[in-house]
Amino acid sequence: MTADDSFNRLDDDDYPAYTMGRAAEMLGTTQGFLRALGEARLITPLRSAGGHRRYSRYQLRIAARARELVDQGTPIEAACRIVILEDQLEEAQRINAEYRRAAESAKPTTAV
């Protein structure tokens, strides 16, 4: 992978660009909170060659939502479950919209 390839991947939501320390700083939380999200299997950070956790922008958005819920008093396990269900619902709605678009484009047009 060239330096240009690495730079271009920074636009990729799934590219693990952030260290645990940087991720915690960006979220305004502790590294322990990020570890707890990993233990609850909400997010699974990739590991660098040295074994350090690396987080993607997508994972940071998920962690930020979990933090919002925890800050509102929701237990972390429940917050993780809520975030998982929200994410699944969003994906299902996206797929349904794709199916609707495909069905609309497949409808025969009637001559007037």
Side-chain angles (χ1 to χ4, degrees), residues 4-18 56-58 61:
D4 283 340
D5 291 339
S6 294
F7 183 74
N8 290 336
R9 294 204 55 197
L10 292 176
D11 288 336
D12 181 355
D13 261 2
D14 296 316
Y15 182 67
Y18 303 97
S56 68
R57 288 189 305 191
Y58 171 75
R61 281 196 303 275

Side-chain angles (χ1 to χ4, degrees), residues 3 34 51-52 83-84 98:
L34 291 173
H52 300 282
V83 172
I84 288 167
E98 286 178 13

Side-chain angles (χ1 to χ4, degrees), residues 24-89:
E25 180 182 312
M26 290 170 68
L27 295 172
T29 190
T30 65
Q31 293 181 16
F33 179 76
L34 291 173
R35 281 189 212 95
L37 295 181
E39 289 169 12
R41 295 190 175 143
L42 178 62
I43 54 176
T44 304
L46 291 175
R47 298 282 182 150
S48 69
H52 300 282
R53 290 173 179 89
R54 295 287 191 158
Y55 296 88
S56 68
R57 288 189 305 191
Y58 171 75
Q59 289 172 324
L60 294 183
R61 281 196 303 275
I62 295 291
R65 177 64 180 134
R67 180 171 184 245
E68 287 174 16
L69 293 168
V70 169
D71 286 351
Q72 294 171 5
T74 306
I76 194 164
E77 297 82 12
C80 290
R81 185 67 182 141
I82 290 167
V83 172
I84 288 167
L85 291 171
E86 287 174 343
D87 197 48
Q88 289 172 343
L89 176 59

